[in-house]
Amino acid sequence: MIIKSYELNKIDINKKKLFLLYGHNEGLKNEVTKKYFVDKFTGNIFRYDEKEVIDNNSDFFDGILSRSFFEEKKLFIISRATDKLNSIIEEILEKEINDVVILLNASILDKKSKIRKLFETGKDLICIPFYQDNNYSLFKIASDVFKKNNISISGENINLIIEKCSGDRRNLHNEINKILNFCLEKKNINREEISKLINFYEDENFFVLIDSCLEKNYIKVKKIINNNNFNNNDSIIIIRSLISRLKRLIDLKKLESQIGNAKETVNNFRPQIFWKDKEIVEKQIKIWQTNKIYNLLDQVNEIEVKHKKNSNLSNNLIFDLILNTSNS
């Protein structure tokens, strides 16, 4: 059964024993795990990695099946879950297991995934997808934190922080904590201070590359790629940053359909777009059709899935896609 993360409060978790949390958004998954499972659980909590479960299959089942008179309910949290656990979950379903809750935390699972299909179609199984936050939700999170801590910060500077986070609220919280620590003795912060704290200048080439790609500036894209030695770690940042940019562009196109003017769309978009980026974003709105943005987003998502299996291959794929897109 598929549900949304915010619908968990409608479900009696004590009456369910198997949950699958999967998707991009590690930050939200961690929040949901803590709020709905760990904080509310009164029994014993056991944490496993998938490899530990597979390598010590018998020990894992002993832990699930064993029960003492004085022992309370057990919660098993298994991280980095993949299709390799499918047969183990099926075996658990065949057994009469009481007073046990099993929570699987998986990364991206495509539609052909066996374990995803098992949880989506299972009557007593709960499947919860976690998609990347959009810029609006991240902006609200950051804005609320700074307001609560009485820190004066502009919307443009919050947007700068969001750019660094590649659509992941866990990254956002990390960057916010840096700023909160910096502001212990002060109640305001400027753009230069923020850029240094979040190492924005180190990553600026990523954003210039992506914006140039979406602006279809092939010469500039080719120059950036040729002049930089991007590694496999850089490629995943570029992939997620491109996903974030494409989702923003989709939101911009929706707003443009209401306003009817690219320049006014940029000026009225929230969170605010930094003044020096407005001209580039306006060009992107004029260049791109919504269906083509969705097609490109699907391609980038597929590359992100492949990155988990072969980072070297995905490194080549993402740069080929960026070059081809900028030259189309």
Side-chain angles (χ1 to χ4, degrees):
M1 180 171 62
I2 305 171
I3 69 167
K4 306 292 185 183
S5 59
Y6 57 81
E7 295 176 322
L8 266 172
N9 59 350
K10 301 176 184 177
I11 292 176
D12 186 352
I13 292 176
N14 293 317
K15 292 183 179 179
K16 303 292 182 182
K17 64 181 180 182
L18 283 163
F19 297 81
L20 172 65
L21 282 58
Y22 79 91
H24 300 270
N25 202 328
E26 292 297 331
L28 184 54
K29 278 193 285 185
N30 291 340
E31 288 179 17
V32 167
T33 300
K34 185 176 187 300
K35 179 178 179 180
Y36 292 102
F37 294 91
V38 174
D39 287 351
K40 291 185 177 181
F41 204 77
T42 57
N44 296 315
I45 300 175
F46 303 88
R47 296 181 184 272
Y48 287 85
D49 185 89
E50 180 189 73
K51 190 174 186 303
E52 293 177 285
V53 175
I54 294 171
D55 291 348
N56 302 285
N57 196 332
S58 59
D59 290 343
F60 175 70
F61 273 100
D62 286 343
I64 291 176
L65 296 170
S66 64
R67 173 81 174 156
S68 70
F69 184 76
F70 299 101
E71 193 171 33
E72 296 182 83
K73 200 168 184 177
K74 301 176 183 177
L75 170 62
F76 290 82
I77 301 175
I78 304 174
S79 60
R80 285 185 279 274
T82 68
D83 282 352
K84 293 178 182 178
L85 287 176
N86 195 64
S87 59
I88 292 175
I89 298 303
E90 289 178 336
E91 189 175 347
I92 290 171
L93 290 170
E94 293 173 0
K95 299 180 182 293
E96 289 293 329
I97 300 175
N98 298 313
D99 298 323
V100 168
V101 175
I102 298 174
L103 179 67
L104 307 182
N105 186 340
S107 185
I108 306 167
L109 297 173
D110 60 36
K111 293 180 181 179
K112 296 179 182 179
S113 165
K114 292 180 181 179
I115 200 164
R116 173 179 165 181
K117 190 174 293 184
L118 176 66
F119 273 81
E120 286 180 343
T121 57
K123 180 182 177 182
D124 294 319
L125 307 181
I126 303 294
C127 180
I128 311 172
F130 287 80
Y131 305 109
Q132 282 185 319
D133 287 295
N134 58 35
N135 285 352
Y136 180 81
S137 63
L138 292 176
F139 187 93
K140 188 176 186 310
I141 291 169
S143 181
D144 288 346
V145 172
F146 291 127
K147 186 176 181 180
K148 181 180 178 181
N149 288 273
N150 297 316
I151 294 173
S152 177
I153 182 171
S154 70
E156 288 183 344
N157 284 337
I158 291 177
N159 207 30
L160 177 68
I161 301 166
I162 291 169
E163 292 284 4
K164 179 71 188 303
C165 298
S166 303
D168 191 326
R169 69 172 63 192
R170 182 178 55 175
N171 295 338
L172 178 64
H173 285 305
N174 289 338
E175 301 302 341
I176 288 174
N177 286 334
K178 292 179 190 177
I179 293 168
L180 293 179
N181 289 331
F182 179 79
C183 292
L184 285 174
E185 303 297 329
K186 54 188 292 187
K187 290 300 177 183
N188 54 65
I189 186 167
N190 60 41
R191 188 176 183 86
E192 187 68 24
E193 291 168 331
I194 291 171
S195 297
K196 289 179 180 178
L197 283 170
I198 67 176
N199 298 320
F200 182 79
Y201 293 134
E202 292 180 12
D203 294 340
E204 196 165 17
N205 270 339
F206 299 153
F207 302 120
V208 174
L209 174 63
I210 292 165
D211 280 331
S212 300
C213 168
L214 296 178
E215 193 186 1
K216 295 190 179 292
N217 189 336
Y218 176 72
I219 294 173
K220 192 169 183 178
V221 166
K222 189 175 180 181
K223 183 178 179 181
I224 292 171
I225 292 175
N226 288 338
N227 290 344
N228 288 273
N229 185 24
F230 295 114
N231 58 38
N232 292 342
N233 290 330
D234 294 333
S235 67
I236 192 60
I237 296 172
I238 290 170
I239 289 168
R240 289 175 180 169
S241 298
L242 180 53
I243 289 171
S244 178
R245 274 287 201 266
L246 288 170
K247 288 183 175 180
R248 185 183 73 173
L249 190 51
I250 289 169
D251 290 338
L252 282 160
K253 293 294 290 186
K254 289 177 181 177
L255 183 59
E256 186 204 21
S257 68
Q258 299 171 17
I259 294 177
N261 179 279
K263 186 172 183 177
E264 288 302 309
T265 297
V266 172
N267 289 333
N268 286 278
F269 187 74
R270 295 293 180 271
Q272 288 175 285
I273 293 170
F274 190 50
W275 65 267
K276 73 178 182 66
D277 297 328
K278 287 186 175 183
E279 185 178 348
I280 295 173
V281 175
E282 187 179 336
K283 287 180 182 178
Q284 292 171 0
I285 293 171
K286 292 176 179 178
I287 288 170
W288 285 89
Q289 296 176 350
T290 301
N291 65 321
K292 291 188 176 180
I293 303 172
Y294 277 111
N295 289 337
L296 181 57
L297 183 59
D298 287 340
Q299 293 179 65
V300 182
N301 280 326
E302 287 177 11
I303 292 174
E304 185 175 14
V305 172
K306 290 176 181 177
H307 186 276
K308 302 290 181 181
K309 300 175 182 177
N310 188 331
S311 59
N312 290 322
L313 174 63
S314 66
N315 194 41
N316 294 330
L317 289 173
I318 189 60
F319 289 114
D320 285 346
L321 179 62
I322 287 172
L323 281 167
N324 292 334
T325 300
S326 65
N327 198 34
S328 62

